[in-house]
Amino acid sequence: MLRLISSRTPLAQIASHNTKKLSAPVLTTLPRLYSTFTDELDLVVIGGGPGGYVAAIKAAQLGLKTACIEKRGALGGTCSNVGCIPSKAMLNNSHIYHQTKHDLKARGIDVGDVVLNLPVMLKAKDKAVSGLTKGIEFLFKKNNVAYHKGAGKFLNPHEIEVTGQDGTVSTLKAKNIVIATGSVASGFPGIEIDEKQIVTSTGALELQQVPKKMLVIGAGVIGLELGSVWQRLGAEVTVVEYLDAIGAGMDSEMAKAFHRILSKQGLKFKLGTKVLETEKLANGRVGLKVEESKGGNAETLEADVVLVSIGRKPYTEGLGLENVKIQVDKRGRIPIDSEYRTSVANIRCIGDVTYGAMLAHKAEEEGIAVAELINGEHGHVNYDTIPSVIYTHPEVAWCGKSEDEIKKSGIEYNVGKYPFSANPRARTNGDQEGMIKMISDKETDRILGVHIMGPNAGEMIAEAVLAMEYGASSEDISRTTHAHPTLAEAFKEAAMATHSKPLHI
Ligand code: FAD
Ligand code: NAD
């Protein structure tokens, strides 16, 4: 039986710059051919993060006999346990604290002394995490996914050894296996992480007191989000970034504006600066030796806590890939074809451990698609419309191409911009920093990219994703009714600015 190939951008294409074409065919027979086992499962998923647990639930919903192996003792992966969820809990509560302290008076709300109770704030974060991870366990039960708490290791392409947390060893047999083992923080030669003073994001979400001085290495998503958290709670935060811009590759015009806004909030930046090494100083602090990225002007900065946030790397330790002869590429990723097959046809791979953006929603989409493909259906992910969000205040969100990329590609384009300072709701809320930038193809008016910096940008980007998913033009959006008074009207105005002229400016 043959399946159609997705007409959208395949993941393998995204990775074309780093792997040679795999030999696994795109059109194949269905995995049900593996019928020699009698007591085997249809699917075993290794890793219970957003990629793995979603794949397992979807597969079970499709009628496949499914098990999921997770070794951390809780489901939800990096995202629920030490990533998206705890960081958003700290971002939300530190924002409320900061706003209560600095902003409420001007709104006619007098409060007494505003005092930070960090242990309670950390507890609230932990409560959010445990509630959500237990919720996934409930979903497993509801959907008949067998949950194996332990570390999975390939014995051969159909058998996985599971070493439970109590040391018991068992073996699972499956027709299909999905690897969804995720990623861990990248380290740095010359810097020893102790998760107390020199921390990754995991340690930075557990600090038991507000550091007086904090140095953040890397002005990417984690550096800006967690740098903001501790700055709002009272730390003096300096972010050291190798590149000349913040925001790890966002549209350069938005990055400049974002840099200005965060600097005004009190974050300090040392751009174009590379970190050489750290040392523990006699005064109990950490010394961070840095120099200009192009070389020269070395200096040593001091801090109570250093956050290392220079990216994440795929995680395959202890997985026994050597037993199934799967090789990782030079960045540690497991190579796959356009239907998530590794070099072994019945073993597929999704999420952070393979190609593409390291984002929870990207892993989730792949989880659904891979389950559908294993079931012989047509699963696909549109990699051209995966949104990115930085949950600072204001938030920054984008989808599609940046203006820099479009310029480079030579496509002729229209660009429309609309500031939140002209949007009635943003002005009324006293939350009017930022703007929306929309870019469309000059000839067809089809939207190529949307970049939003402003209140609720992370929610608003969903409209851009949907519009792009359906191939909308900026005119389509400018002729669509948006409720008044809402922040979303700024989105319509940006579309009007792209297509012809905005009205309210
Ligand atoms: P993971 O979530 O890493 O899950 C993999 C799981 O596999 C882990 O639980 C691991 O214990 C398990 N595992 C590994 N090996 C084995 C084995 N041999 N046997 C059994 N189990 C194994 N993304 C967003 O989209 N939005 C955000 O706001 C966001 N915020 C983030 C904040 C922080 C601080 C961090 C660090 C990341 C954030 N991310 C965010 C990224 C997001 O967490 C990841 O992209 C996402 O979790 C990837 O999902 P995954 O399923 O591929 O892997
Ligand atoms: P990142 O790739 O976003 O940013 C890393 C930054 O560190 C880059 O700007 C890079 O230039 C800089 N850098 C690298 N080496 C350096 C050096 N030696 N000195 C100074 N700067 C250096 O990585 P991250 O912030 O660690 O985040 C990791 C992943 O987690 C990302 O892929 C991101 O997608 C995901 N994440 C997403 C969210 C979200 O969606 N809101 C939040 C947190 C994390």
Side-chain angles (χ1 to χ4, degrees), residues 443-463:
E443 199 183 318
T444 63
D445 191 30
R446 197 178 171 127
I447 298 167
L448 301 173
V450 175
H451 306 269
I452 309 174
M453 177 166 43
N456 274 358
E459 302 290 339
M460 199 181 291
I461 200 68
E463 183 173 353

Side-chain angles (χ1 to χ4, degrees), residues 70-209:
E70 169 54 61
K71 68 175 183 177
R72 75 168 67 230
L75 293 167
T78 302
C79 174
S80 301
N81 290 281
V82 291
C84 326
I85 297 305
S87 62
K88 267 76 253 179
M90 292 302 282
L91 277 157
N92 191 49
N93 289 339
S94 64
H95 176 63
I96 293 172
Y97 167 76
H98 194 263
Q99 188 170 35
T100 309
K101 202 163 167 154
H102 300 286
D103 186 39
L104 290 195
K105 208 173 175 57
R107 296 174 185 271
I109 306 166
D110 286 333
V111 287
D113 280 351
V114 181
V115 181
L116 171 68
N117 188 335
L118 185 58
V120 174
M121 196 180 276
L122 293 173
K123 232 182 241 164
K125 169 203 62 145
D126 294 341
K127 195 171 163 210
V129 167
S130 65
L132 288 166
T133 56
K134 284 194 192 110
I136 302 169
E137 215 166 319
F138 163 77
L139 292 175
F140 269 16
K141 281 196 190 115
K142 187 179 161 202
N143 289 287
N144 272 333
V145 175
Y147 173 23
H148 294 262
K149 276 190 192 178
K153 183 180 176 181
F154 281 104
L155 296 176
N156 58 55
H158 290 282
E159 288 184 304
I160 297 161
E161 180 183 87
V162 185
T163 306
Q165 289 183 318
D166 56 359
T168 52
V169 180
S170 56
T171 304
L172 293 178
K173 248 184 197 181
K175 293 183 188 116
N176 299 283
I177 294 160
V178 170
I179 303 171
T181 49
S183 64
V184 289
S186 295
F188 203 94
I191 296 187
E192 205 175 308
I193 309 276
D194 59 19
E195 293 296 11
K196 296 263 180 277
Q197 225 183 352
I198 303 177
V199 298
T200 66
S201 52
T202 302
L205 288 163
E206 291 291 334
L207 297 179
Q208 299 301 309
Q209 57 187 36

Side-chain angles (χ1 to χ4, degrees), residues 217-276:
I217 311 177
V221 198
I222 292 180
L224 298 179
E225 287 188 351
L226 296 183
S228 290
V229 165
W230 292 105
Q231 189 263 330
R232 290 169 189 168
L233 298 181
E236 189 189 319
V237 178
T238 303
V239 186
V240 180
E241 167 58 50
Y242 183 84
L243 302 174
D244 290 322
I246 69 168
M250 67 164 71
D251 180 275
S252 62
E253 184 185 16
M254 301 302 272
K256 273 187 207 131
F258 191 34
H259 183 193
R260 268 198 306 277
I261 289 173
L262 292 181
S263 302
K264 218 168 65 189
Q265 290 176 6
L267 276 176
K268 296 195 174 83
F269 290 96
K270 276 185 96 65
L271 302 185
T273 303
K274 75 171 169 221
V275 172
L276 302 172

Side-chain angles (χ1 to χ4, degrees), residues 12 25 30 56 103 114 131 179 199 208 240 291 308 323 325 331 336 365 371 375 378 389 421 431 435 440 442 452 468:
L30 285 174
D103 186 39
V114 181
I179 303 171
V199 298
Q208 299 301 309
V240 180
E291 67 173 23
V308 182
N323 297 337
K325 299 193 172 48
R331 286 167 60 182
I336 51 167
E365 290 305 316
N375 198 42
H378 171 68
V389 182
S421 57
D431 196 1
M435 68 161 175
S440 76
K442 201 171 200 126
I452 309 174
M468 292 176 71

Side-chain angles (χ1 to χ4, degrees), residues 219-362:
V221 198
I222 292 180
L224 298 179
E225 287 188 351
L226 296 183
S228 290
V229 165
W230 292 105
Q231 189 263 330
R232 290 169 189 168
L233 298 181
E236 189 189 319
V237 178
T238 303
V239 186
V240 180
E241 167 58 50
Y242 183 84
L243 302 174
D244 290 322
I246 69 168
M250 67 164 71
D251 180 275
S252 62
E253 184 185 16
M254 301 302 272
K256 273 187 207 131
F258 191 34
H259 183 193
R260 268 198 306 277
I261 289 173
L262 292 181
S263 302
K264 218 168 65 189
Q265 290 176 6
L267 276 176
K268 296 195 174 83
F269 290 96
K270 276 185 96 65
L271 302 185
T273 303
K274 75 171 169 221
V275 172
L276 302 172
E277 58 184 15
T278 54
E279 55 171 331
K280 296 250 168 114
L281 303 173
N283 62 10
R285 289 181 136 187
V286 183
L288 190 70
K289 206 165 155 197
V290 300
E291 67 173 23
E292 286 178 14
S293 299
K294 55 183 191 301
N297 288 330
E299 61 175 316
T300 299
L301 309 170
E302 274 188 33
D304 303 290
V305 171
V306 173
L307 164 61
V308 182
S309 46
I310 55 167
R312 291 178 63 82
K313 58 177 184 202
Y315 180 75
T316 53
E317 220 176 283
L319 190 55
L321 286 181
E322 63 286 357
N323 297 337
V324 284
K325 299 193 172 48
I326 291 178
Q327 284 180 347
V328 297
D329 69 9
K330 57 178 187 291
R331 286 167 60 182
R333 300 172 302 185
I334 296 179
I336 51 167
D337 70 7
S338 61
E339 294 191 348
Y340 310 104
R341 274 187 215 87
T342 65
S343 51
V344 180
N346 72 307
I347 303 175
R348 307 201 194 210
C349 177
I350 57 169
D352 280 13
V353 71
T354 186
Y355 309 136
M358 288 186 170
L359 292 171
H361 43 276
K362 174 260 189 190

